[in-house]
Amino acid sequence: MEDVYVITSKDVMKKQDAIDGFLREISTREELEELIERMPYVQTIQAPNSKARKELYQLAMDEYDDVEWVRVIKSIYLRMEDNRYDEFEQSYMEKAKNFLYKEIAIRFNLPFGEVDDFVNNTIKKHLEEF
């Protein structure tokens, strides 16, 4: 029998290990494939100042939704590229990547450390075909 993985408020884990309950099962492989293809088109989080941005990141994280995690990662990545990010943003990016990348690692049977390259290569391939 295949293990069932779930999202909890703290991490991604096997359903039987989710002592405090869980929020949802992880996304299917098909849902994640579609999400990866959509990543270049996902809108970033825009805010007028650090305080508002932090609140919006937290609201996005509290959704425990793949698209919201992509929004957080993409928003912070672009801010880091422009060298205009705040210290607190790094922790939000790491948390979002932890949740999303664990889902991808499980569904695509990849080591966690290879997920970033897998996602980037998949997006690149999709954009070339597009």
Side-chain angles (χ1 to χ4, degrees), residues 13-72:
M13 61 184 65
K14 291 181 181 176
K15 188 174 184 177
Q16 66 265 22
D17 296 335
I19 298 166
D20 296 331
F22 63 94
L23 301 165
R24 66 174 175 86
E25 288 188 16
I26 66 171
S27 298
T28 65
R29 183 181 174 114
E30 292 77 22
E31 290 168 334
L32 291 169
E33 285 173 345
E34 180 184 324
L35 176 67
I36 293 169
E37 287 182 8
R38 288 182 27 213
M39 283 181 182
Y41 313 106
V42 172
Q43 289 189 336
T44 58
I45 295 171
Q46 303 294 319
N49 58 51
S50 293
K51 183 179 178 187
R53 194 168 25 264
K54 188 173 189 177
E55 289 174 11
L56 291 173
Y57 290 158
Q58 190 58 53
L59 287 171
M61 293 302 299
D62 289 346
E63 292 291 320
Y64 295 95
D65 177 75
D66 299 330
V67 175
E68 292 301 313
W69 293 329
V70 169
R71 290 182 69 219
V72 170

Side-chain angles (χ1 to χ4, degrees), residues 67-84:
V67 175
E68 292 301 313
W69 293 329
V70 169
R71 290 182 69 219
V72 170
I73 294 165
K74 186 174 178 179
S75 299
I76 296 168
Y77 174 82
L78 292 173
R79 288 180 54 75
M80 291 174 87
E81 286 286 299
D82 290 344
N83 213 13
R84 45 181 197 104

